PDB file of all heavy atoms in Angstrom:
ATOM      1  N   ARG A  79       6.210 -51.012-171.932  1.00 97.00           N
ATOM      2  CA  ARG A  79       6.136 -50.956-170.463  1.00 97.00           C
ATOM      3  C   ARG A  79       5.704 -52.312-169.908  1.00 97.00           C
ATOM      4  O   ARG A  79       6.240 -52.788-168.911  1.00 97.00           O
ATOM      5  CB  ARG A  79       5.150 -49.873-170.012  1.00 97.00           C
ATOM      6  CG  ARG A  79       5.683 -48.473-170.076  1.00 97.00           C
ATOM      7  CD  ARG A  79       4.813 -47.503-169.287  1.00 97.00           C
ATOM      8  NE  ARG A  79       3.411 -47.608-169.592  1.00 97.00           N
ATOM      9  CZ  ARG A  79       2.716 -46.722-170.312  1.00 97.00           C
ATOM     10  NH1 ARG A  79       3.311 -45.656-170.804  1.00 97.00           N
ATOM     11  NH2 ARG A  79       1.433 -46.904-170.518  1.00 97.00           N
ATOM     12  N   ALA A  80       4.735 -52.931-170.559  1.00 97.00           N
ATOM     13  CA  ALA A  80       4.276 -54.249-170.106  1.00 97.00           C
ATOM     14  C   ALA A  80       5.403 -55.269-170.206  1.00 97.00           C
ATOM     15  O   ALA A  80       5.600 -56.077-169.291  1.00 97.00           O
ATOM     16  CB  ALA A  80       3.077 -54.704-170.938  1.00 97.00           C
ATOM     17  N   ARG A  81       6.140 -55.236-171.296  1.00 97.00           N
ATOM     18  CA  ARG A  81       7.266 -56.174-171.478  1.00 97.00           C
ATOM     19  C   ARG A  81       8.313 -55.950-170.389  1.00 97.00           C
ATOM     20  O   ARG A  81       8.844 -56.909-169.824  1.00 97.00           O
ATOM     21  CB  ARG A  81       7.881 -55.991-172.868  1.00 97.00           C
ATOM     22  CG  ARG A  81       8.896 -57.068-173.224  1.00 97.00           C
ATOM     23  CD  ARG A  81       9.324 -57.007-174.682  1.00 97.00           C
ATOM     24  NE  ARG A  81       8.252 -57.502-175.552  1.00 97.00           N
ATOM     25  CZ  ARG A  81       7.480 -56.743-176.337  1.00 97.00           C
ATOM     26  NH1 ARG A  81       7.667 -55.441-176.395  1.00 97.00           N
ATOM     27  NH2 ARG A  81       6.531 -57.272-177.072  1.00 97.00           N
ATOM     28  N   THR A  82       8.592 -54.702-170.051  1.00 97.00           N
ATOM     29  CA  THR A  82       9.551 -54.375-168.999  1.00 97.00           C
ATOM     30  C   THR A  82       9.095 -54.928-167.647  1.00 97.00           C
ATOM     31  O   THR A  82       9.920 -55.346-166.835  1.00 97.00           O
ATOM     32  CB  THR A  82       9.748 -52.841-168.914  1.00 97.00           C
ATOM     33  OG1 THR A  82      10.264 -52.385-170.167  1.00 97.00           O
ATOM     34  CG2 THR A  82      10.698 -52.457-167.802  1.00 97.00           C
ATOM     35  N   ARG A  83       7.782 -54.957-167.422  1.00 97.00           N
ATOM     36  CA  ARG A  83       7.236 -55.508-166.166  1.00 97.00           C
ATOM     37  C   ARG A  83       7.227 -57.034-166.166  1.00 97.00           C
ATOM     38  O   ARG A  83       6.837 -57.642-165.177  1.00 97.00           O
ATOM     39  CB  ARG A  83       5.799 -55.023-165.960  1.00 97.00           C
ATOM     40  CG  ARG A  83       5.654 -53.563-165.617  1.00 97.00           C
ATOM     41  CD  ARG A  83       4.235 -53.229-165.185  1.00 97.00           C
ATOM     42  NE  ARG A  83       3.231 -53.535-166.191  1.00 97.00           N
ATOM     43  CZ  ARG A  83       2.708 -52.650-167.044  1.00 97.00           C
ATOM     44  NH1 ARG A  83       3.118 -51.400-167.032  1.00 97.00           N
ATOM     45  NH2 ARG A  83       1.776 -53.029-167.904  1.00 97.00           N
ATOM     46  N   GLY A  84       7.614 -57.649-167.275  1.00 97.00           N
ATOM     47  CA  GLY A  84       7.630 -59.101-167.345  1.00 97.00           C
ATOM     48  C   GLY A  84       6.385 -59.708-167.963  1.00 97.00           C
ATOM     49  O   GLY A  84       6.218 -60.930-167.967  1.00 97.00           O
ATOM     50  N   GLU A  85       5.505 -58.869-168.464  1.00 96.00           N
ATOM     51  CA  GLU A  85       4.303 -59.370-169.134  1.00 96.00           C
ATOM     52  C   GLU A  85       4.653 -59.743-170.579  1.00 96.00           C
ATOM     53  O   GLU A  85       5.711 -59.389-171.081  1.00 96.00           O
ATOM     54  CB  GLU A  85       3.199 -58.315-169.095  1.00 96.00           C
ATOM     55  CG  GLU A  85       2.738 -57.995-167.675  1.00 96.00           C
ATOM     56  CD  GLU A  85       1.668 -56.937-167.646  1.00 96.00           C
ATOM     57  OE1 GLU A  85       0.499 -57.282-167.892  1.00 96.00           O
ATOM     58  OE2 GLU A  85       2.007 -55.759-167.382  1.00 96.00           O
ATOM     59  N   ASP A  86       3.754 -60.449-171.232  1.00 95.00           N
ATOM     60  CA  ASP A  86       3.949 -60.876-172.617  1.00 95.00           C
ATOM     61  C   ASP A  86       2.921 -60.165-173.502  1.00 95.00           C
ATOM     62  O   ASP A  86       1.864 -60.727-173.807  1.00 95.00           O
ATOM     63  CB  ASP A  86       3.793 -62.400-172.723  1.00 95.00           C
ATOM     64  CG  ASP A  86       4.106 -62.920-174.114  1.00 95.00           C
ATOM     65  OD1 ASP A  86       4.848 -62.262-174.869  1.00 95.00           O
ATOM     66  OD2 ASP A  86       3.577 -64.002-174.448  1.00 95.00           O
ATOM     67  N   PRO A  87       3.225 -58.935-173.910  1.00 97.00           N
ATOM     68  CA  PRO A  87       2.231 -58.152-174.652  1.00 97.00           C
ATOM     69  C   PRO A  87       2.106 -58.606-176.109  1.00 97.00           C
ATOM     70  O   PRO A  87       3.028 -59.183-176.673  1.00 97.00           O
ATOM     71  CB  PRO A  87       2.799 -56.732-174.582  1.00 97.00           C
ATOM     72  CG  PRO A  87       4.268 -56.931-174.526  1.00 97.00           C
ATOM     73  CD  PRO A  87       4.462 -58.189-173.695  1.00 97.00           C
ATOM     74  N   PRO A  88       0.967 -58.315-176.704  1.00 96.00           N
ATOM     75  CA  PRO A  88       0.803 -58.575-178.132  1.00 96.00           C
ATOM     76  C   PRO A  88       1.580 -57.539-178.937  1.00 96.00           C
ATOM     77  O   PRO A  88       2.118 -56.576-178.383  1.00 96.00           O
ATOM     78  CB  PRO A  88      -0.703 -58.410-178.341  1.00 96.00           C
ATOM     79  CG  PRO A  88      -1.108 -57.429-177.287  1.00 96.00           C
ATOM     80  CD  PRO A  88      -0.220 -57.723-176.104  1.00 96.00           C
ATOM     81  N   GLU A  89       1.625 -57.721-180.237  1.00 96.00           N
ATOM     82  CA  GLU A  89       2.218 -56.727-181.136  1.00 96.00           C
ATOM     83  C   GLU A  89       1.252 -55.546-181.269  1.00 96.00           C
ATOM     84  O   GLU A  89       0.034 -55.708-181.123  1.00 96.00           O
ATOM     85  CB  GLU A  89       2.477 -57.341-182.510  1.00 96.00           C
ATOM     86  CG  GLU A  89       3.471 -58.488-182.491  1.00 96.00           C
ATOM     87  CD  GLU A  89       4.860 -58.036-182.067  1.00 96.00           C
ATOM     88  OE1 GLU A  89       5.286 -56.944-182.486  1.00 96.00           O
ATOM     89  OE2 GLU A  89       5.509 -58.774-181.303  1.00 96.00           O
ATOM     90  N   ALA A  90       1.785 -54.371-181.582  1.00 95.00           N
ATOM     91  CA  ALA A  90       0.948 -53.177-181.727  1.00 95.00           C
ATOM     92  C   ALA A  90      -0.122 -53.373-182.804  1.00 95.00           C
ATOM     93  O   ALA A  90      -1.279 -52.962-182.620  1.00 95.00           O
ATOM     94  CB  ALA A  90       1.809 -51.958-182.038  1.00 95.00           C
TER      95      ALA A  90
END
Side-chain angles (χ1 to χ4, degrees):
R79 282 195 311 254
R81 189 171 286 107
T82 299
R83 289 190 301 262
E85 296 179 80
D86 185 24
E89 297 296 320

